[in-house]
Amino acid sequence: MAKRSAESRVRLSPLGEVYSDALLIEAFCKGRTLSAEAAILICASLYRRAPDRKAMVEELARKRGISAVEMLDQILTGVASSMSLEEYRELRAQSDTGS
């Protein structure tokens, strides 16, 4: 799972030639450094995906039987963990029997 560290920098895997060129062109045309342009593009993409991210958190919370707020808190505090298929089956069986 992704967790925050004291270091705020994000390291990216190589972009590939086409995307690396696209980033270079974007940065040059806007008079920005590569890292500044990359950060702006990532922020813009995350902003556009906010509704999708909200739906994903809601689905994860539903599977666990908790609120979306609780799920978000678990993710942001680093205590959330992936749920295995077996854990999900056990949780469903418990809720189906009412216990």
Side-chain angles (χ1 to χ4, degrees):
M1 288 269 118
K3 293 188 179 181
R4 280 189 204 166
S5 67
E7 186 179 332
S8 62
R9 286 190 174 268
V10 175
R11 289 177 175 75
L12 300 176
S13 299
L15 299 176
E17 184 178 358
V18 172
Y19 293 110
S20 182
D21 290 350
L23 180 60
L24 181 61
I25 293 165
E26 288 269 342
F28 177 83
C29 289
K30 296 174 184 174
R32 296 183 180 135
T33 64
L34 285 176
S35 59
E37 185 61 22
I40 289 167
L41 291 171
I42 290 170
C43 290
S45 178
L46 290 169
Y47 179 80
R48 281 192 308 273
R49 293 178 46 85
D52 296 332
R53 193 167 42 259
K54 181 180 179 196
M56 287 187 278
V57 170
E58 289 170 350
E59 175 61 16
L60 292 173
R62 184 200 61 78
K63 283 177 61 179
R64 288 160 174 76
I66 62 176
S67 73
V69 171
E70 289 174 279
M71 187 74 238
L72 192 57
D73 285 344
Q74 287 183 14
I75 293 168
L76 293 176
T77 58
V79 298
S81 60
S82 295
M83 179 180 267
S84 71
L85 183 56
E86 187 56 37
E87 289 170 320
Y88 182 63
R89 285 183 183 142
E90 289 173 14
L91 191 61
R92 292 294 302 156
Q94 289 174 2
S95 66
D96 290 343
T97 61
S99 39

PDB file of all heavy atoms in Angstrom, residues 12 23 26-27 30-48:
ATOM      1  N   LEU A  12       9.098   8.806 -10.313  1.00  0.00           N
ATOM      2  CA  LEU A  12       8.320   8.181 -11.374  1.00  0.00           C
ATOM      3  C   LEU A  12       9.175   7.196 -12.154  1.00  0.00           C
ATOM      4  O   LEU A  12      10.365   7.410 -12.350  1.00  0.00           O
ATOM      5  CB  LEU A  12       7.792   9.243 -12.349  1.00  0.00           C
ATOM      6  CG  LEU A  12       6.888  10.324 -11.776  1.00  0.00           C
ATOM      7  CD1 LEU A  12       6.551  11.343 -12.854  1.00  0.00           C
ATOM      8  CD2 LEU A  12       5.631   9.717 -11.195  1.00  0.00           C
ATOM      9  N   LEU A  23       6.224  15.692 -22.439  1.00  0.00           N
ATOM     10  CA  LEU A  23       6.474  16.473 -21.231  1.00  0.00           C
ATOM     11  C   LEU A  23       7.501  17.568 -21.504  1.00  0.00           C
ATOM     12  O   LEU A  23       7.328  18.715 -21.067  1.00  0.00           O
ATOM     13  CB  LEU A  23       6.942  15.570 -20.094  1.00  0.00           C
ATOM     14  CG  LEU A  23       7.241  16.250 -18.766  1.00  0.00           C
ATOM     15  CD1 LEU A  23       6.009  16.970 -18.216  1.00  0.00           C
ATOM     16  CD2 LEU A  23       7.752  15.234 -17.758  1.00  0.00           C
ATOM     17  N   GLU A  26       5.727  20.311 -23.508  1.00  0.00           N
ATOM     18  CA  GLU A  26       4.815  21.065 -22.635  1.00  0.00           C
ATOM     19  C   GLU A  26       5.596  22.036 -21.762  1.00  0.00           C
ATOM     20  O   GLU A  26       5.244  23.207 -21.638  1.00  0.00           O
ATOM     21  CB  GLU A  26       4.013  20.115 -21.744  1.00  0.00           C
ATOM     22  CG  GLU A  26       2.961  19.317 -22.448  1.00  0.00           C
ATOM     23  CD  GLU A  26       1.601  19.980 -22.465  1.00  0.00           C
ATOM     24  OE1 GLU A  26       1.343  20.911 -21.660  1.00  0.00           O
ATOM     25  OE2 GLU A  26       0.776  19.568 -23.288  1.00  0.00           O
ATOM     26  N   ALA A  27       6.643  21.537 -21.111  1.00  0.00           N
ATOM     27  CA  ALA A  27       7.436  22.369 -20.205  1.00  0.00           C
ATOM     28  C   ALA A  27       8.099  23.521 -20.958  1.00  0.00           C
ATOM     29  O   ALA A  27       8.061  24.671 -20.500  1.00  0.00           O
ATOM     30  CB  ALA A  27       8.489  21.514 -19.501  1.00  0.00           C
ATOM     31  N   LYS A  30       5.650  26.291 -22.014  1.00  0.00           N
ATOM     32  CA  LYS A  30       5.092  27.046 -20.887  1.00  0.00           C
ATOM     33  C   LYS A  30       6.168  27.708 -20.035  1.00  0.00           C
ATOM     34  O   LYS A  30       5.860  28.353 -19.035  1.00  0.00           O
ATOM     35  CB  LYS A  30       4.240  26.113 -20.027  1.00  0.00           C
ATOM     36  CG  LYS A  30       3.031  25.578 -20.780  1.00  0.00           C
ATOM     37  CD  LYS A  30       2.303  24.552 -19.957  1.00  0.00           C
ATOM     38  CE  LYS A  30       1.143  23.945 -20.738  1.00  0.00           C
ATOM     39  NZ  LYS A  30       0.517  22.854 -19.994  1.00  0.00           N
ATOM     40  N   GLY A  31       7.441  27.514 -20.424  1.00  0.00           N
ATOM     41  CA  GLY A  31       8.529  28.124 -19.679  1.00  0.00           C
ATOM     42  C   GLY A  31       8.697  27.557 -18.286  1.00  0.00           C
ATOM     43  O   GLY A  31       9.053  28.279 -17.355  1.00  0.00           O
ATOM     44  N   ARG A  32       8.459  26.257 -18.140  1.00  0.00           N
ATOM     45  CA  ARG A  32       8.573  25.606 -16.833  1.00  0.00           C
ATOM     46  C   ARG A  32       9.653  24.539 -16.880  1.00  0.00           C
ATOM     47  O   ARG A  32      10.010  24.040 -17.939  1.00  0.00           O
ATOM     48  CB  ARG A  32       7.243  24.941 -16.463  1.00  0.00           C
ATOM     49  CG  ARG A  32       6.110  25.909 -16.290  1.00  0.00           C
ATOM     50  CD  ARG A  32       4.854  25.168 -15.856  1.00  0.00           C
ATOM     51  NE  ARG A  32       3.760  26.097 -15.681  1.00  0.00           N
ATOM     52  CZ  ARG A  32       2.531  25.902 -16.121  1.00  0.00           C
ATOM     53  NH1 ARG A  32       2.225  24.795 -16.765  1.00  0.00           N
ATOM     54  NH2 ARG A  32       1.594  26.799 -15.917  1.00  0.00           N
ATOM     55  N   THR A  33      10.097  24.134 -15.699  1.00  0.00           N
ATOM     56  CA  THR A  33      11.012  23.002 -15.619  1.00  0.00           C
ATOM     57  C   THR A  33      10.204  21.724 -15.836  1.00  0.00           C
ATOM     58  O   THR A  33       8.966  21.715 -15.702  1.00  0.00           O
ATOM     59  CB  THR A  33      11.689  22.924 -14.239  1.00  0.00           C
ATOM     60  OG1 THR A  33      10.691  22.678 -13.245  1.00  0.00           O
ATOM     61  CG2 THR A  33      12.464  24.202 -13.924  1.00  0.00           C
ATOM     62  N   LEU A  34      10.915  20.635 -16.133  1.00  0.00           N
ATOM     63  CA  LEU A  34      10.234  19.344 -16.309  1.00  0.00           C
ATOM     64  C   LEU A  34       9.488  18.934 -15.041  1.00  0.00           C
ATOM     65  O   LEU A  34       8.346  18.486 -15.103  1.00  0.00           O
ATOM     66  CB  LEU A  34      11.237  18.257 -16.685  1.00  0.00           C
ATOM     67  CG  LEU A  34      11.777  18.272 -18.104  1.00  0.00           C
ATOM     68  CD1 LEU A  34      12.828  17.182 -18.282  1.00  0.00           C
ATOM     69  CD2 LEU A  34      10.655  18.083 -19.105  1.00  0.00           C
ATOM     70  N   SER A  35      10.139  19.108 -13.900  1.00  0.00           N
ATOM     71  CA  SER A  35       9.504  18.672 -12.652  1.00  0.00           C
ATOM     72  C   SER A  35       8.286  19.527 -12.320  1.00  0.00           C
ATOM     73  O   SER A  35       7.271  19.012 -11.846  1.00  0.00           O
ATOM     74  CB  SER A  35      10.493  18.660 -11.491  1.00  0.00           C
ATOM     75  OG  SER A  35      11.039  19.935 -11.276  1.00  0.00           O
ATOM     76  N   ALA A  36       8.360  20.830 -12.584  1.00  0.00           N
ATOM     77  CA  ALA A  36       7.207  21.694 -12.321  1.00  0.00           C
ATOM     78  C   ALA A  36       6.041  21.320 -13.236  1.00  0.00           C
ATOM     79  O   ALA A  36       4.891  21.222 -12.788  1.00  0.00           O
ATOM     80  CB  ALA A  36       7.579  23.161 -12.514  1.00  0.00           C
ATOM     81  N   GLU A  37       6.312  21.092 -14.499  1.00  0.00           N
ATOM     82  CA  GLU A  37       5.249  20.724 -15.436  1.00  0.00           C
ATOM     83  C   GLU A  37       4.660  19.365 -15.086  1.00  0.00           C
ATOM     84  O   GLU A  37       3.447  19.178 -15.137  1.00  0.00           O
ATOM     85  CB  GLU A  37       5.769  20.728 -16.881  1.00  0.00           C
ATOM     86  CG  GLU A  37       4.699  20.480 -17.917  1.00  0.00           C
ATOM     87  CD  GLU A  37       3.591  21.520 -17.935  1.00  0.00           C
ATOM     88  OE1 GLU A  37       3.785  22.655 -17.468  1.00  0.00           O
ATOM     89  OE2 GLU A  37       2.508  21.195 -18.446  1.00  0.00           O
ATOM     90  N   ALA A  38       5.506  18.419 -14.712  1.00  0.00           N
ATOM     91  CA  ALA A  38       5.016  17.095 -14.321  1.00  0.00           C
ATOM     92  C   ALA A  38       4.092  17.202 -13.104  1.00  0.00           C
ATOM     93  O   ALA A  38       3.025  16.580 -13.065  1.00  0.00           O
ATOM     94  CB  ALA A  38       6.189  16.159 -14.027  1.00  0.00           C
ATOM     95  N   ALA A  39       4.483  18.010 -12.123  1.00  0.00           N
ATOM     96  CA  ALA A  39       3.651  18.183 -10.923  1.00  0.00           C
ATOM     97  C   ALA A  39       2.299  18.800 -11.278  1.00  0.00           C
ATOM     98  O   ALA A  39       1.255  18.365 -10.780  1.00  0.00           O
ATOM     99  CB  ALA A  39       4.383  19.051  -9.895  1.00  0.00           C
ATOM    100  N   ILE A  40       2.307  19.793 -12.148  1.00  0.00           N
ATOM    101  CA  ILE A  40       1.060  20.447 -12.559  1.00  0.00           C
ATOM    102  C   ILE A  40       0.153  19.460 -13.288  1.00  0.00           C
ATOM    103  O   ILE A  40      -1.059  19.411 -13.046  1.00  0.00           O
ATOM    104  CB  ILE A  40       1.371  21.688 -13.425  1.00  0.00           C
ATOM    105  CG1 ILE A  40       1.965  22.782 -12.547  1.00  0.00           C
ATOM    106  CG2 ILE A  40       0.128  22.185 -14.167  1.00  0.00           C
ATOM    107  CD1 ILE A  40       2.600  23.927 -13.316  1.00  0.00           C
ATOM    108  N   LEU A  41       0.735  18.655 -14.172  1.00  0.00           N
ATOM    109  CA  LEU A  41      -0.061  17.679 -14.913  1.00  0.00           C
ATOM    110  C   LEU A  41      -0.640  16.598 -14.007  1.00  0.00           C
ATOM    111  O   LEU A  41      -1.788  16.186 -14.175  1.00  0.00           O
ATOM    112  CB  LEU A  41       0.775  17.054 -16.030  1.00  0.00           C
ATOM    113  CG  LEU A  41       1.141  17.992 -17.176  1.00  0.00           C
ATOM    114  CD1 LEU A  41       2.147  17.330 -18.106  1.00  0.00           C
ATOM    115  CD2 LEU A  41      -0.104  18.426 -17.939  1.00  0.00           C
ATOM    116  N   ILE A  42       0.139  16.159 -13.029  1.00  0.00           N
ATOM    117  CA  ILE A  42      -0.362  15.163 -12.076  1.00  0.00           C
ATOM    118  C   ILE A  42      -1.508  15.751 -11.260  1.00  0.00           C
ATOM    119  O   ILE A  42      -2.543  15.107 -11.073  1.00  0.00           O
ATOM    120  CB  ILE A  42       0.771  14.638 -11.173  1.00  0.00           C
ATOM    121  CG1 ILE A  42       1.721  13.765 -11.997  1.00  0.00           C
ATOM    122  CG2 ILE A  42       0.213  13.859  -9.986  1.00  0.00           C
ATOM    123  CD1 ILE A  42       2.995  13.396 -11.275  1.00  0.00           C
ATOM    124  N   CYS A  43      -1.337  16.973 -10.779  1.00  0.00           N
ATOM    125  CA  CYS A  43      -2.398  17.631 -10.002  1.00  0.00           C
ATOM    126  C   CYS A  43      -3.677  17.781 -10.829  1.00  0.00           C
ATOM    127  O   CYS A  43      -4.778  17.519 -10.340  1.00  0.00           O
ATOM    128  CB  CYS A  43      -1.931  18.992  -9.497  1.00  0.00           C
ATOM    129  SG  CYS A  43      -0.680  18.893  -8.214  1.00  0.00           S
ATOM    130  N   ALA A  44      -3.535  18.180 -12.081  1.00  0.00           N
ATOM    131  CA  ALA A  44      -4.702  18.351 -12.947  1.00  0.00           C
ATOM    132  C   ALA A  44      -5.412  17.016 -13.166  1.00  0.00           C
ATOM    133  O   ALA A  44      -6.650  16.942 -13.131  1.00  0.00           O
ATOM    134  CB  ALA A  44      -4.286  18.960 -14.286  1.00  0.00           C
ATOM    135  N   SER A  45      -4.652  15.967 -13.353  1.00  0.00           N
ATOM    136  CA  SER A  45      -5.231  14.643 -13.554  1.00  0.00           C
ATOM    137  C   SER A  45      -5.954  14.163 -12.296  1.00  0.00           C
ATOM    138  O   SER A  45      -7.064  13.630 -12.366  1.00  0.00           O
ATOM    139  CB  SER A  45      -4.140  13.649 -13.942  1.00  0.00           C
ATOM    140  OG  SER A  45      -4.673  12.362 -14.096  1.00  0.00           O
ATOM    141  N   LEU A  46      -5.344  14.358 -11.136  1.00  0.00           N
ATOM    142  CA  LEU A  46      -5.978  13.960  -9.879  1.00  0.00           C
ATOM    143  C   LEU A  46      -7.264  14.746  -9.633  1.00  0.00           C
ATOM    144  O   LEU A  46      -8.256  14.195  -9.148  1.00  0.00           O
ATOM    145  CB  LEU A  46      -5.002  14.142  -8.711  1.00  0.00           C
ATOM    146  CG  LEU A  46      -3.836  13.155  -8.690  1.00  0.00           C
ATOM    147  CD1 LEU A  46      -2.804  13.591  -7.661  1.00  0.00           C
ATOM    148  CD2 LEU A  46      -4.322  11.745  -8.427  1.00  0.00           C
ATOM    149  N   TYR A  47      -7.265  16.020  -9.973  1.00  0.00           N
ATOM    150  CA  TYR A  47      -8.455  16.843  -9.811  1.00  0.00           C
ATOM    151  C   TYR A  47      -9.598  16.312 -10.675  1.00  0.00           C
ATOM    152  O   TYR A  47     -10.736  16.175 -10.216  1.00  0.00           O
ATOM    153  CB  TYR A  47      -8.138  18.295 -10.173  1.00  0.00           C
ATOM    154  CG  TYR A  47      -9.331  19.217 -10.055  1.00  0.00           C
ATOM    155  CD1 TYR A  47      -9.722  19.705  -8.810  1.00  0.00           C
ATOM    156  CD2 TYR A  47     -10.062  19.573 -11.177  1.00  0.00           C
ATOM    157  CE1 TYR A  47     -10.822  20.536  -8.692  1.00  0.00           C
ATOM    158  CE2 TYR A  47     -11.165  20.399 -11.072  1.00  0.00           C
ATOM    159  CZ  TYR A  47     -11.547  20.882  -9.828  1.00  0.00           C
ATOM    160  OH  TYR A  47     -12.638  21.693  -9.720  1.00  0.00           O
ATOM    161  N   ARG A  48      -9.293  15.983 -11.931  1.00  0.00           N
ATOM    162  CA  ARG A  48     -10.325  15.465 -12.839  1.00  0.00           C
ATOM    163  C   ARG A  48     -10.856  14.110 -12.385  1.00  0.00           C
ATOM    164  O   ARG A  48     -12.002  13.771 -12.651  1.00  0.00           O
ATOM    165  CB  ARG A  48      -9.758  15.322 -14.259  1.00  0.00           C
ATOM    166  CG  ARG A  48      -9.679  16.616 -15.029  1.00  0.00           C
ATOM    167  CD  ARG A  48      -9.393  16.376 -16.502  1.00  0.00           C
ATOM    168  NE  ARG A  48      -8.236  15.528 -16.746  1.00  0.00           N
ATOM    169  CZ  ARG A  48      -6.981  15.956 -16.835  1.00  0.00           C
ATOM    170  NH1 ARG A  48      -6.709  17.240 -16.684  1.00  0.00           N
ATOM    171  NH2 ARG A  48      -5.989  15.116 -17.065  1.00  0.00           N
TER     172      ARG A  48
END
